[in-house]
Amino acid sequence: MMNQLYGTTPLFGGNAPFVEDLYENYLDNPASVPIEWREYFDKLAQLPSAVARDVPHLPIVQAFAEQARLGGYRATLSKPVDDKKQVSVLQLITAYRTLGARWANLDPLKRQTRPVINELEPSHYGLGSADMNTLYNAGSFKGVGERATFGQIFDSLKETYCSSIGIEYMYIDNIAEKRWLQSRIEPIHAKGTYTSAQKLRFLERLTAAETLERYLHTRYVGQKRFSLEGGESLIVALDELVRVAGGLGVDDVVIGMAHRGRLNVLVNTLGKEPAMLFDEFEGKKAQDLTSGDVKYHLGYSSDVSTPGGACHLTLAFNPSHLEIVNPVVVGMAYARQHRRGEGSQEKIFPVLVHGDAAVAGQGVNQEMLNFSQTRGYGTGGTVHIVVNNQIGFTTSDPRDSRSSLYCTDIFKMVNAPIFHVNGDDPEAVALVTRLAVEFRHEFRKDVVIDIVCFRKLGHNEQDEPMVTQPLMYKRIAGHAGTRSLYANRLVAEGVLPNDGPENMIQNYRDHLDRGELLYNPVIAGHTHPMTIDWAPFLPTKYIENCDTTVPAKEIKRLADRLTTIPENFTLHGRVKRIIEDRRLMGQGSIPFDWGMAENLAYATLLVSGHGVRLSGEDVGRSTFFHRHAALHDQKREHWDEGTYYPLANLEEKQASFQCFDSVLSEEAVLAFEFGYSTSNPFELVVWEAQFGDFVNGAQVVIDQFIASGETKWGRACGLVLLLPHGYEGQGPEHSSARIERFMQLCAEMNMEVCQPSTPAQVFHMLRRQAIRKQRKPLIVFTPKSLLRHKDAVSTMDEMSKGGFKLVIGEVDPIDVKKVNRVIFCTGKIYYDLIAARREKNIDTIAIARLEQLYPFPQEAFAAELGRYPKATEIVWCQEEPRNQGAWYWIASRQHLDRSFNNKQHLLLVSRPASPSPAVGYYSKHNAQQKALIESALGEIEQYKYA
């Protein structure tokens, strides 16, 4: 009779797979199942003990089969199973998978009481002690057999989801990923099985981490090092990560982290010689950089041994600005993957080590995660490790530290699984690290390890944490330390003798006394086959220019390729006219405009072996409709097809062309491109702002990396920033790329700042940036209205025979002996001035353009000024307000007047000083523009420079 019941009820027998699929479809979309099943599932949700809202995560029932009794619960005599209670058991399983981490034993300090979560109590579902020996189907739960007593199921759930590991993953919308995690964690009840040798390795890593910190603490009293004490399990995690990754075929890992524990990672993971570290503490390190940086910001690279062979480890340089290095590291990894080509995501991946306060607090992480799965920025997943010491400087009160439950909740936006783990359980840390690396390898997406630990000392070694965290630091003072706890455990297990732990410490200290490592993973003399020799790109002296000419015949050939569109590809009418005009430009029939010149610059580089990467918001078309590097078929039938890139189809053996419209982000995307450019000197890497005004959203990247990376860390970078700039009445946020801020950062030939005013100039400037054996950032203030200005055009000769001119002198045939005023300017204002001068028939004023602001072209400037021996008024004219633009920088450094004779004096014409970059009233803009032009060509009194 019972067999008949089991075989005929819709929740059992051969119907189970069918029901499972129906329920999964119902959870995803109730309208997708027949109405009678929808009504049935609706009733289940209305039962008194039902979870408020189920989510697609597991089948309601699987086929039941009798199996041997498990655990300590004795199955009662067979009796009909209560369908309601069977559903309740499955709901409890769901609850533990979803909420079990809330009850996990994660905090080494045990500061928080266990929260009340009714959904994790059997009584919430009408289950109790009377049901402990009753057999139920366990559904997809792998912690027991297909059928087990409720007691066995309940115990297994608690062991799996509420031990030293708390897992969050049920929000993931990919069923295969959830099934994979369940299959890996549930059968072993979230407990790894390790040999004595493996356990000794974990203890050795903990010993190395703790002993190094204590050694430095006593040898260099009071010096900042941002100790890892309390979070030593990070070293266990990184060691396991490298070993597991190496075993999976990974041979290149790029790591980013802040200052907490950095010195420990440098020594105990990357194998930096302790003697080198001691020299840095003692100020003995060679000062071969003009600025340098503190020891806990420095990067390092090495090749270490793994079970799968040699693996190259890189720890990126970083500033104190927390988390900003993360997209830089991802960009570095992406560049390496791009050079490798197909299959590279299996060989290279980024690892990011976060702090708990910073990972939740710094918005750059949201930006980075947002592009982590996009085409031009996805690396196939990052392994994130949070050193969760439960405090940010002096803030640990959860009412202040964040609004989310966990500091890692931000990662749920990309459906990344999160492994919370107690830092006092190194075996659990090793287990989740293995799972994380294998998950990333299997599914090519981000994964998170949250090591819950503590910070033994203050924010730095000079800080007193007891002032603000008395209760926390009383508990910390009573904590024996992770190494000690684990050592005692291994002694109790008989893995090593009683004096084994102390012998380990002494042995490590003895080696530190000699400036050596007890265990050094570095493979001496090994060089990774993909290593780049940067020496040819690091000249001892600044290279101002190079040959950028291209034969007219080649320009015509490439113009033809750029304007050849595939058959049956329908262009938008406006784009079609642009392409037709470009064909005429290539034939020499009409002058070149900005868009064609820029495309030709890329084309000439691509066919000569220089890769080009173009990134930023809307760069394929461009904000101002001038580039059209990406063409779109107007008759496409599917959203993911019908895009054509002429620059990627020039010839068969051309270099790589990448063009990606980025997510709506400045800071993280620019940081990514900086990282990319520091990893590949062979490509021209270009980032364009939608408007130059918006670049200040990435000011940290500009200040801490682009402008100062070379002087602090010796990191060369050829990144190009295209920043649309110009005063055309569009208001305060659509006029200025803040020239003054970039000029203030210029020193020691650290970067180039240009404002080209003709298509030929941008053509030669971009070619110069790639061809020169020199890699420095190039900041370009690009035009808006000039993109289609009738006078801002160039001839074939200027394109093919010219070069980048640092200064463009007077172009009209005026008598130099009559000139009594010379106006120097940059950008769009030149065309306004020249038009007004021609209209007024003025022949006593010469107008010249500075095309490069930094390094200042002193010789070219002096040569142009020398053409006008009778000029007494030298005017700097800018469209920006007086307190902005290039004026203060030029005047304060006397770049202009150092070339004057004793009869010449410097004057300024500009908009009035203002806290805003531009006015918002269009009529006021016009009035300012008119006054500026009239003053430049007439009486100048208001802004006379004394």
Side-chain angles (χ1 to χ4, degrees):
M1 180 65 180
M2 288 302 302
N3 289 336
Q4 286 181 322
L5 289 172
Y6 283 139
T8 56
T9 177
L11 296 179
F12 294 88
N15 290 331
F18 172 68
V19 175
E20 175 181 355
D21 289 340
L22 279 174
Y23 187 56
E24 197 67 52
N25 292 336
Y26 165 80
L27 290 173
D28 186 53
N29 179 10
S32 66
V33 302
I35 188 169
E36 60 271 19
W37 280 103
R38 192 188 323 159
E39 292 174 351
Y40 175 74
F41 293 138
D42 286 343
K43 290 177 182 177
L44 290 182
Q46 296 167 6
L47 292 174
S49 59
V51 172
R53 180 181 179 273
D54 210 349
V55 293
H57 55 277
L58 57 84
I60 271 293
V61 181
Q62 289 184 337
F64 283 117
E66 194 69 42
Q67 68 167 32
R69 176 167 47 89
L70 298 174
Y73 295 96
R74 181 181 300 276
T76 58
L77 294 175
S78 295
K79 61 180 181 180
V81 176
D82 184 332
D83 282 356
K84 177 181 174 182
K85 288 199 172 185
Q86 174 60 68
V87 171
S88 294
V89 170
L90 296 174
Q91 288 178 319
L92 183 67
I93 292 171
T94 297
Y96 269 82
R97 286 171 166 175
T98 306
L99 300 171
R102 298 284 306 280
W103 277 5
N105 176 28
L106 299 177
D107 183 5
L109 301 179
K110 298 178 172 56
R111 294 192 307 141
Q112 303 294 334
T113 58
R114 194 175 78 170
V116 175
I117 303 176
N118 293 329
E119 290 83 355
L120 296 180
E121 300 284 3
S123 59
H124 183 71
Y125 306 92
L127 298 167
S129 57
D131 302 294
M132 288 295 179
N133 295 322
T134 303
L135 287 169
Y136 291 98
N137 184 276
S140 63
F141 180 56
K142 302 293 191 299
V144 295
E146 291 185 36
R147 293 191 74 210
T149 66
F150 173 63
Q152 293 166 342
I153 294 171
F154 187 44
D155 283 351
S156 183
L157 285 171
K158 290 185 291 183
E159 289 176 26
T160 302
Y161 291 103
C162 302
S163 62
S164 294
I165 299 172
I167 312 169
E168 293 188 281
Y169 67 94
M170 290 298 285
Y171 45 80
I172 297 175
D173 53 20
N174 185 307
I175 295 175
E177 292 173 14
K178 288 189 287 191
R179 292 282 187 268
W180 187 92
L181 290 164
Q182 291 162 1
S183 70
R184 299 303 306 276
I185 201 75
E186 290 178 347
I188 63 173
H189 295 178
K191 288 181 175 58
T193 302
Y194 297 103
T195 65
S196 293
Q198 289 173 313
K199 292 180 179 182
L200 285 172
R201 184 179 181 89
F202 299 153
L203 180 59
E204 185 278 329
R205 292 289 77 201
L206 288 174
T207 302
E210 181 188 88
T211 306
L212 176 65
E213 295 293 353
R214 295 189 176 184
Y215 187 91
L216 295 174
H217 194 68
T218 55
R219 181 165 174 171
Y220 302 106
V221 178
Q223 287 205 43
K224 288 184 181 181
R225 70 179 191 278
F226 297 97
S227 167
L228 185 60
E229 287 178 273
E232 294 93 343
S233 286
L234 171 65
I235 302 302
V236 174
L238 289 175
D239 181 70
E240 188 73 358
L241 180 147
V242 173
R243 291 174 63 80
V244 174
L248 293 172
V250 173
D251 64 10
D252 196 349
V253 177
V254 189
I255 305 170
M257 67 180 298
H259 40 281
R260 174 78 52 212
R262 188 181 188 87
L263 302 183
N264 215 305
V265 171
L266 282 167
V267 172
N268 287 316
T269 301
L270 280 86
K272 181 175 182 177
E273 288 290 339
M276 296 174 62
L277 180 62
F278 301 158
D279 283 348
E280 291 166 4
F281 270 98
E282 296 164 13
K284 297 178 182 178
K285 185 178 184 293
Q287 298 182 11
D288 49 0
L289 298 172
T290 53
S291 296
D293 205 348
V294 293
K295 51 189 169 294
Y296 39 83
H297 288 171
L298 301 181
Y300 195 75
S301 64
S302 61
D303 294 276
V304 302
S305 176
T306 77
C311 182
H312 187 71
L313 304 182
T314 301
L315 179 61
F317 296 85
N318 75 287
S320 285
H321 294 64
L322 298 174
E323 307 292 313
I324 192 63
V325 76
N326 298 342
V328 173
V329 166
V330 176
M332 293 168 65
Y334 187 94
R336 298 177 187 208
Q337 291 175 348
H338 183 69
R339 280 200 300 127
R340 285 272 195 108
E342 187 176 354
S344 61
Q345 290 185 352
E346 298 177 4
K347 298 290 185 181
I348 306 165
F349 73 82
V351 175
L352 297 177
V353 182
H354 311 266
D356 54 307
V359 72
Q362 297 298 316
V364 69
N365 287 320
Q366 184 273 337
E367 295 184 19
M368 176 185 65
L369 291 170
N370 192 35
F371 65 57
S372 64
Q373 296 293 322
T374 60
R375 288 183 297 172
Y377 309 87
T379 60
T382 297
V383 176
H384 301 268
I385 303 176
V386 179
V387 181
N388 186 349
N389 52 37
Q390 308 180 70
I391 187 171
F393 207 150
T394 67
T395 304
S396 62
D397 191 324
R399 295 172 298 180
D400 302 322
S401 56
R402 58 181 175 268
S403 296
S404 60
L405 177 61
Y406 295 109
C407 65
T408 53
D409 283 347
I410 185 176
F411 294 103
K412 294 174 183 177
M413 67 178 281
V414 290
N415 280 335
I418 300 168
F419 296 95
H420 305 282
V421 60
N422 190 320
D424 272 356
D425 189 343
E427 293 180 16
V429 171
L431 174 62
V432 299
T433 302
R434 172 174 287 277
L435 291 173
V437 174
E438 291 176 346
F439 180 88
R440 187 266 176 197
H441 181 79
E442 181 73 20
F443 296 106
R444 298 288 186 272
K445 62 185 293 187
D446 289 35
V447 60
V448 183
I449 303 165
D450 177 26
I451 303 176
V452 183
C453 52
F454 58 92
R455 188 190 71 194
K456 184 173 182 179
L457 304 176
H459 176 68
N460 60 61
E461 287 64 40
Q462 301 167 2
D463 188 42
E464 177 48 76
M466 190 70 79
V467 172
T468 50
Q469 272 73 34
L471 179 60
M472 171 185 275
Y473 274 82
K474 284 178 184 176
R475 289 180 178 267
I476 290 174
H479 191 285
T482 304
R483 183 209 59 80
S484 179
L485 293 174
Y486 190 57
N488 292 340
R489 173 178 160 185
L490 295 192
V491 169
E493 292 177 5
V495 174
L496 77 169
N498 290 338
D499 61 353
E502 288 303 317
N503 289 339
M504 271 190 179
I505 294 172
Q506 189 58 51
N507 201 5
Y508 191 87
R509 287 187 68 89
D510 290 344
H511 280 75
L512 287 178
D513 285 337
R514 297 192 294 271
E516 302 170 351
L517 279 171
L518 172 61
Y519 164 73
N520 192 339
V522 176
I523 305 172
H526 183 271
T527 301
H528 193 282
M530 295 300 290
T531 299
I532 294 176
D533 180 12
W534 276 77
F537 301 96
L538 304 173
T540 56
K541 292 185 178 181
Y542 171 70
I543 302 173
E544 188 171 76
N545 229 322
C546 64
D547 182 8
T548 57
T549 58
V550 179
K553 182 178 179 181
E554 177 68 355
I555 290 178
K556 291 178 180 179
R557 182 183 77 86
L558 292 173
D560 179 69
R561 293 300 305 147
L562 286 172
T563 56
T564 299
I565 311 302
E567 292 184 11
N568 302 318
F569 194 98
T570 304
L571 295 173
H572 187 278
R574 289 182 62 190
V575 178
K576 183 179 180 181
R577 287 191 293 274
I578 290 172
I579 298 300
E580 290 171 350
D581 284 346
R582 289 181 177 178
R583 180 171 288 275
L584 294 174
M585 293 174 196
Q587 295 169 354
S589 301
I590 59 175
F592 291 89
D593 64 11
W594 190 283
M596 184 56 165
E598 184 187 344
N599 274 274
L600 279 170
Y602 301 142
T604 56
L605 292 172
L606 288 165
V607 298
S608 57
H610 299 276
V612 174
R613 176 179 170 86
L614 187 58
S615 166
E617 297 161 21
D618 314 300
V619 294
R621 190 204 76 175
S622 80
T623 303
F624 304 101
F625 211 77
H626 83 281
R627 182 172 294 118
H628 300 289
L631 303 177
H632 300 274
D633 189 349
Q634 297 301 297
K635 294 184 178 180
R636 73 171 73 168
E637 296 182 356
H638 299 283
W639 61 269
D640 58 348
E641 60 183 32
T643 304
Y644 178 71
Y645 299 90
L647 285 164
N649 293 276
L650 300 170
E651 58 188 37
E652 185 177 351
K653 294 184 178 181
Q654 69 172 79
S656 166
F657 175 67
Q658 303 176 68
C659 180
F660 295 109
D661 293 337
S662 77
V663 298
L664 192 61
S665 159
E666 283 79 37
E667 185 175 52
V669 174
L670 182 56
F672 179 99
E673 301 304 339
F674 172 83
Y676 187 105
S677 64
T678 61
S679 295
N680 192 344
F682 306 114
E683 293 189 18
L684 179 69
V685 184
V686 180
W687 178 82
E688 182 178 56
Q690 192 179 68
F691 279 81
D693 311 65
F694 305 151
V695 72
N696 60 9
Q699 198 66 47
V700 174
V701 183
I702 296 164
D703 292 345
Q704 297 352 105
F705 290 98
I706 294 173
S708 59
E710 184 176 6
T711 187
K712 291 190 299 186
W713 311 315
R715 299 298 293 171
C717 157
L719 179 63
V720 179
L721 274 64
L722 300 183
L723 309 176
H725 174 95
Y727 283 63
E728 288 134 347
Q730 296 191 61
E733 275 73 58
H734 294 83
S735 298
S736 176
R738 297 287 193 174
I739 293 175
E740 63 280 359
R741 292 183 177 170
F742 288 95
M743 299 310 297
Q744 185 184 41
L745 294 169
C746 291
E748 299 177 1
M749 302 295 185
N750 63 327
M751 58 185 175
E752 292 176 326
V753 179
C754 297
Q755 193 168 6
S757 59
T758 73
Q761 281 289 86
V762 77
F763 174 82
H764 292 291
M765 178 194 66
L766 291 172
R767 284 182 49 75
R768 178 185 72 160
Q769 181 71 358
I771 294 171
R772 256 184 323 185
K773 291 296 184 179
Q774 174 177 281
R775 292 295 174 262
K776 291 183 180 290
L778 170 61
I779 313 302
V780 186
F781 300 105
T782 57
K784 294 175 287 185
S785 61
L786 291 190
L787 295 172
R788 279 169 285 277
H789 194 286
K790 64 181 179 62
D791 294 328
V793 294
S794 298
T795 65
M796 178 65 80
D797 278 354
E798 290 171 327
M799 294 283 288
S800 63
K801 298 177 182 178
F804 181 66
K805 298 177 181 179
L806 306 179
V807 175
I808 299 179
E810 175 60 60
V811 297
D812 285 354
I814 63 176
D815 186 349
V816 297
K817 295 179 181 180
K818 292 183 179 181
V819 172
N820 55 33
R821 177 183 295 179
V822 181
I823 300 174
F824 286 92
C825 60
T826 63
K828 181 186 74 70
I829 195 68
Y830 166 77
Y831 291 93
D832 300 330
L833 289 168
I834 199 77
R837 189 190 69 178
R838 289 169 178 169
E839 182 181 344
K840 296 174 182 289
N841 294 315
I842 297 173
D843 61 0
T844 58
I845 298 176
I847 305 174
R849 288 163 275 178
L850 288 184
E851 299 286 288
Q852 179 169 298
L853 288 166
Y854 188 83
F856 187 79
Q858 194 70 51
E859 291 184 11
F861 171 79
E864 179 61 21
L865 185 59
R867 294 176 58 196
Y868 312 102
K870 295 186 179 181
T872 58
E873 294 180 336
I874 313 303
V875 178
W876 176 256
C877 181
Q878 64 179 38
E879 56 184 349
E880 299 82 15
R882 182 182 188 181
N883 59 323
Q884 299 173 34
W887 164 243
Y888 278 170
W889 185 86
I890 286 175
S892 66
R893 301 203 179 189
Q894 300 179 332
H895 283 299
L896 300 187
D897 57 9
R898 71 173 56 171
S899 299
F900 295 174
N901 61 40
N902 56 10
K903 295 182 179 180
Q904 294 174 327
H905 57 278
L906 179 62
L907 299 101
L908 168 69
V909 174
S910 72
R911 283 178 163 79
S914 170
S916 174
V919 298
Y921 303 113
Y922 192 63
S923 59
K924 191 168 185 177
H925 160 80
N926 288 334
Q928 287 185 345
Q929 179 74 8
K930 181 180 178 182
L932 190 153
I933 299 300
E934 290 180 350
S935 180
L937 300 177
E939 183 67 22
I940 306 173
E941 287 294 337
Q942 187 176 358
Y943 306 126
K944 185 172 182 178
Y945 174 66

